[in-house]
Amino acid sequence: MFHKTRLKLTAWYLLILAIICLAFSITIYRFLSIEIDRFARVQRTRIERRFTDQLPDDVIKRFPPIDFSDPDIVSESKARIIFFLLSVNGVILLVCGSLSYFLSGITLKPIKQMVDEQDRFLSDASHELRTPLASMKTATEVALRDKNLKFSDSKKILKENLTDINRLSILSNSLLELSRFQKKANLLQTKSVKIKSLILEAVNNLKVLSKSKNIKIIHKSGNTVIDADPNKVIELLTMVIDNAVKYSPPKTTIKISTSKSRQFVHFYISDQGQGIAPKDQPFIFDRFYRSDIARSSGSSEGFGLGLSIAKEICSLHNGTISVTSEVGHGSTFDIKLPLKQKFS
Ligand code: ADP
């Protein structure tokens, strides 16, 4: 499709160029033809006058008038002009055709990337939707076919279905949130907030989960105040800390610290977990990306959307998120947000 559109665009460019060239060529040809005719006329009159001036009147009267014009030279000159214009136009169209093909490729490249990304997103999303739906369908069908289904078994199936429904609900909320971020319309409700309160709130959200894994969360932060949407930054911190808890073995420690420069504040979230392989690090902020370790470690609740949402929240705040990690030793996420926002 991309190649066809590229050719179509090139054809349109060429058509417009051909029309312009044709108009110019016709104008030039007509102008030059008139000039050649005028030149031939003047030349003929001059020769005639010179000839008749040298002959006596009675000789002139005796002979029929001589035609001094040479229509062959005139039409040959016109033919040469046509040939020249056609050659120049041919070269122009050839050079501009290649240039148009190249430029239409550049024009269409971002559109192609967007379409490719949308296709990938759609197929990833439908793949993620299919798995829980298929498992719910199978479990329900098998239960309905079983005439001796016990009450306890049906309860167990309903419980499993509820887990899948919860997963689907998390997925649909994440997808909705990502699509809202992409529209980038009035998403932030910014105000001045203390980073300490943001960290406290995020840690509080994960109290139960970290306790269940016997993971200690230590946090230290100053009294820095930033312009931010508190709910979104809490969501961002919660996602990163939630990952730190999820991908760390029990009885480890997660450290949260901050630092401040002239324009930015950094949040550092360090864990002693499984770490992220160098080959995965460039992709973990992509939608639906999960490392092989994450997939195989039995951490089934994730969809690979958390960090892409975190990245979107950072970029909405004109900030960034990055990671340094060592497999087997742990990871440190660095969230960098500006102290002041240009918008309010
Ligand atoms: P998921 O739902 O899989 O957690 P995320 O987008 O939050 O999705 O994370 C993407 C991937 O990045 C995870 O699947 C995991 O492989 C890796 N990852 C994120 N945070 C950590 C961490 N603290 N330690 C190890 N791996 C991590």
Coordinates of all heavy atoms in Angstrom, one line a residue, residues 76-116:
E76 N 12.8 24.6 -40.5 CA 13.9 23.8 -39.8 C 14.2 24.4 -38.4 O 14.4 23.6 -37.4 CB 15.1 23.8 -40.7 CG 16.1 22.7 -40.3 CD 17.5 22.9 -41.0 OE1 17.5 23.2 -42.2 OE2 18.5 22.8 -40.3
S77 N 14.3 25.7 -38.4 CA 14.6 26.4 -37.1 C 13.5 26.1 -36.1 O 13.8 25.8 -34.9 CB 14.7 27.9 -37.3 OG 15.7 28.2 -38.2
K78 N 12.2 26.1 -36.6 CA 11.1 25.8 -35.6 C 11.2 24.4 -35.1 O 11.0 24.1 -34.0 CB 9.8 26.1 -36.3 CG 9.5 27.6 -36.5 CD 8.2 27.8 -37.1 CE 7.9 29.3 -37.3 NZ 6.7 29.6 -37.9
A79 N 11.5 23.5 -36.1 CA 11.6 22.1 -35.7 C 12.8 21.9 -34.6 O 12.6 21.1 -33.7 CB 11.9 21.2 -36.9
R80 N 13.9 22.6 -34.8 CA 15.0 22.5 -33.9 C 14.6 23.0 -32.5 O 15.0 22.5 -31.5 CB 16.2 23.3 -34.4 CG 16.9 22.5 -35.5 CD 17.9 23.5 -36.2 NE 19.1 23.7 -35.4 CZ 20.2 23.1 -35.6 NH1 20.3 22.2 -36.5 NH2 21.3 23.3 -34.9
I81 N 13.8 24.1 -32.5 CA 13.3 24.6 -31.2 C 12.4 23.6 -30.5 O 12.5 23.3 -29.3 CB 12.5 25.9 -31.4 CG1 13.5 27.0 -31.8 CG2 11.8 26.3 -30.1 CD1 12.8 28.3 -32.3
I82 N 11.5 22.9 -31.3 CA 10.6 21.9 -30.7 C 11.5 20.8 -30.1 O 11.2 20.3 -29.0 CB 9.6 21.4 -31.8 CG1 8.6 22.5 -32.2 CG2 8.9 20.1 -31.3 CD1 7.7 22.1 -33.3
F83 N 12.5 20.4 -30.9 CA 13.3 19.3 -30.4 C 14.0 19.7 -29.1 O 14.1 18.9 -28.2 CB 14.3 18.9 -31.5 CG 15.3 17.8 -31.1 CD1 14.9 16.5 -31.0 CD2 16.6 18.2 -30.8 CE1 15.8 15.5 -30.5 CE2 17.5 17.2 -30.3 CZ 17.1 15.9 -30.2
F84 N 14.6 20.9 -29.1 CA 15.3 21.4 -27.9 C 14.3 21.4 -26.7 O 14.7 20.9 -25.7 CB 15.9 22.8 -28.2 CG 16.5 23.4 -27.0 CD1 17.7 23.0 -26.6 CD2 15.8 24.4 -26.3 CE1 18.3 23.5 -25.5 CE2 16.4 25.0 -25.2 CZ 17.7 24.6 -24.8
L85 N 13.1 22.0 -26.9 CA 12.2 22.1 -25.8 C 11.8 20.7 -25.3 O 11.7 20.5 -24.1 CB 10.9 22.9 -26.2 CG 11.1 24.4 -26.4 CD1 9.9 25.0 -26.9 CD2 11.5 25.0 -25.0
L86 N 11.6 19.8 -26.2 CA 11.2 18.4 -25.8 C 12.3 17.7 -25.0 O 12.1 17.1 -24.0 CB 10.9 17.5 -27.0 CG 9.5 17.8 -27.7 CD1 9.3 16.9 -28.9 CD2 8.4 17.5 -26.7
S87 N 13.5 18.0 -25.5 CA 14.7 17.3 -24.8 C 14.8 17.9 -23.4 O 15.0 17.2 -22.4 CB 16.0 17.6 -25.5 OG 15.9 17.3 -26.8
V88 N 14.7 19.3 -23.3 CA 14.9 19.9 -21.9 C 13.7 19.4 -21.0 O 14.0 19.1 -19.9 CB 14.8 21.5 -22.1 CG1 14.7 22.1 -20.7 CG2 16.1 21.9 -22.8
N89 N 12.5 19.4 -21.6 CA 11.4 18.9 -20.8 C 11.6 17.5 -20.3 O 11.3 17.1 -19.2 CB 10.1 19.0 -21.5 CG 9.5 20.4 -21.5 OD1 9.9 21.2 -20.7 ND2 8.7 20.8 -22.5
G90 N 12.1 16.6 -21.2 CA 12.3 15.2 -20.9 C 13.3 15.1 -19.7 O 13.1 14.4 -18.8
V91 N 14.4 15.9 -19.8 CA 15.4 15.9 -18.7 C 14.8 16.4 -17.4 O 15.0 15.7 -16.4 CB 16.7 16.7 -19.1 CG1 17.6 16.8 -18.0 CG2 17.4 16.1 -20.3
I92 N 14.0 17.5 -17.5 CA 13.4 18.0 -16.3 C 12.5 17.0 -15.7 O 12.5 16.7 -14.5 CB 12.6 19.3 -16.6 CG1 13.6 20.5 -17.0 CG2 11.8 19.7 -15.4 CD1 12.9 21.8 -17.3
L93 N 11.7 16.4 -16.5 CA 10.7 15.4 -15.9 C 11.4 14.2 -15.3 O 11.0 13.7 -14.3 CB 9.7 15.0 -17.0 CG 8.7 16.0 -17.4 CD1 7.7 15.5 -18.5 CD2 7.9 16.5 -16.2
L94 N 12.5 13.8 -16.0 CA 13.2 12.6 -15.5 C 13.9 12.9 -14.1 O 13.7 12.2 -13.2 CB 14.3 12.2 -16.5 CG 14.8 10.8 -16.4 CD1 13.7 9.9 -17.0 CD2 16.1 10.6 -17.1
V95 N 14.6 14.1 -14.1 CA 15.2 14.5 -12.8 C 14.2 14.7 -11.7 O 14.3 14.2 -10.6 CB 16.1 15.7 -13.0 CG1 16.6 16.2 -11.7 CG2 17.3 15.4 -14.0
C96 N 13.1 15.5 -12.1 CA 12.1 15.8 -11.1 C 11.3 14.6 -10.7 O 10.9 14.5 -9.5 CB 11.2 16.9 -11.5 SG 12.1 18.4 -11.7
G97 N 11.2 13.6 -11.6 CA 10.4 12.4 -11.3 C 11.2 11.6 -10.2 O 10.6 11.2 -9.2
S98 N 12.5 11.5 -10.4 CA 13.3 10.7 -9.4 C 13.2 11.5 -8.0 O 13.1 10.9 -7.0 CB 14.7 10.6 -9.8 OG 14.8 10.5 -11.1
L99 N 13.3 12.8 -8.1 CA 13.3 13.7 -6.9 C 12.0 13.5 -6.2 O 11.9 13.4 -5.0 CB 13.6 15.1 -7.3 CG 14.4 15.9 -6.3 CD1 15.8 15.4 -6.3 CD2 14.4 17.4 -6.7
S100 N 10.9 13.5 -7.0 CA 9.5 13.4 -6.5 C 9.3 12.1 -5.8 O 8.7 12.0 -4.7 CB 8.4 13.5 -7.5 OG 8.7 14.6 -8.3
Y101 N 9.9 11.0 -6.4 CA 9.8 9.7 -5.8 C 10.5 9.7 -4.4 O 9.9 9.2 -3.4 CB 10.4 8.7 -6.7 CG 10.2 7.3 -6.3 CD1 9.0 6.6 -6.3 CD2 11.3 6.5 -5.8 CE1 8.8 5.3 -5.9 CE2 11.1 5.2 -5.3 CZ 9.9 4.6 -5.4 OH 9.7 3.3 -5.0
F102 N 11.7 10.3 -4.4 CA 12.4 10.4 -3.2 C 11.7 11.2 -2.1 O 11.5 10.8 -1.0 CB 13.8 11.0 -3.5 CG 14.7 11.3 -2.3 CD1 15.2 10.2 -1.6 CD2 14.9 12.6 -1.9 CE1 16.0 10.5 -0.5 CE2 15.7 12.9 -0.8 CZ 16.2 11.8 -0.1
L103 N 11.2 12.4 -2.5 CA 10.5 13.3 -1.6 C 9.2 12.7 -1.1 O 8.8 12.8 0.1 CB 10.2 14.6 -2.2 CG 11.5 15.5 -2.4 CD1 11.1 16.8 -3.1 CD2 12.2 15.8 -1.1
S104 N 8.5 12.0 -2.0 CA 7.2 11.4 -1.5 C 7.5 10.3 -0.5 O 6.7 10.1 0.4 CB 6.3 10.9 -2.7 OG 7.1 10.1 -3.5
G105 N 8.6 9.6 -0.7 CA 9.0 8.6 0.3 C 9.2 9.3 1.7 O 8.7 8.8 2.7
I106 N 9.9 10.4 1.7 CA 10.2 11.1 3.0 C 8.8 11.6 3.6 O 8.6 11.5 4.8 CB 11.1 12.3 2.7 CG1 12.5 11.8 2.4 CG2 11.2 13.2 4.0 CD1 13.5 12.9 2.1
T107 N 7.9 12.1 2.7 CA 6.6 12.6 3.2 C 5.8 11.5 3.8 O 5.2 11.7 4.9 CB 5.8 13.3 2.0 OG1 6.7 14.0 1.2 CG2 4.7 14.1 2.5
L108 N 5.9 10.4 3.2 CA 5.0 9.3 3.6 C 5.5 8.5 4.8 O 4.8 7.7 5.4 CB 4.7 8.3 2.5 CG 3.8 8.9 1.4 CD1 3.7 7.9 0.2 CD2 2.4 9.2 1.9
K109 N 6.9 8.7 5.0 CA 7.5 7.8 6.1 C 6.8 7.9 7.5 O 6.5 6.9 8.0 CB 9.0 8.2 6.1 CG 9.8 7.1 6.8 CD 11.3 7.5 6.7 CE 12.0 6.5 7.6 NZ 13.4 6.9 7.8
P110 N 6.6 9.2 8.0 CA 6.0 9.2 9.3 C 4.6 8.6 9.3 O 4.2 8.0 10.3 CB 5.9 10.7 9.6 CG 6.5 11.4 8.5 CD 7.0 10.5 7.5
I111 N 3.8 8.7 8.2 CA 2.5 8.2 8.1 C 2.6 6.7 8.1 O 1.8 6.0 8.8 CB 1.8 8.7 6.8 CG1 1.7 10.2 6.8 CG2 0.4 8.0 6.7 CD1 1.2 10.8 5.6
K112 N 3.6 6.1 7.4 CA 3.8 4.7 7.4 C 4.1 4.2 8.8 O 3.6 3.2 9.2 CB 4.9 4.3 6.4 CG 5.1 2.8 6.3 CD 6.3 2.6 5.3 CE 6.6 1.1 5.1 NZ 6.6 0.2 6.1
Q113 N 5.0 4.9 9.5 CA 5.4 4.5 10.8 C 4.2 4.5 11.7 O 4.0 3.6 12.5 CB 6.4 5.4 11.4 CG 7.8 5.1 10.9 CD 8.9 6.2 11.2 OE1 8.5 7.3 11.6 NE2 10.1 5.9 11.0
M114 N 3.3 5.5 11.6 CA 2.1 5.6 12.4 C 1.2 4.4 12.2 O 0.7 3.8 13.1 CB 1.4 6.9 12.2 CG 0.6 7.5 13.3 SD 0.0 9.1 12.9 CE -1.3 8.6 11.8
V115 N 1.0 4.2 10.9 CA 0.1 3.1 10.5 C 0.6 1.7 11.0 O -0.1 0.9 11.6 CB -0.2 3.0 9.0 CG1 -0.9 1.8 8.5 CG2 -0.9 4.3 8.5
D116 N 1.9 1.5 10.8 CA 2.6 0.3 11.3 C 2.4 0.1 12.8 O 2.1 -0.9 13.3 CB 4.1 0.3 11.0 CG 4.3 0.0 9.5 OD1 3.3 -0.3 8.8 OD2 5.5 0.2 9.0

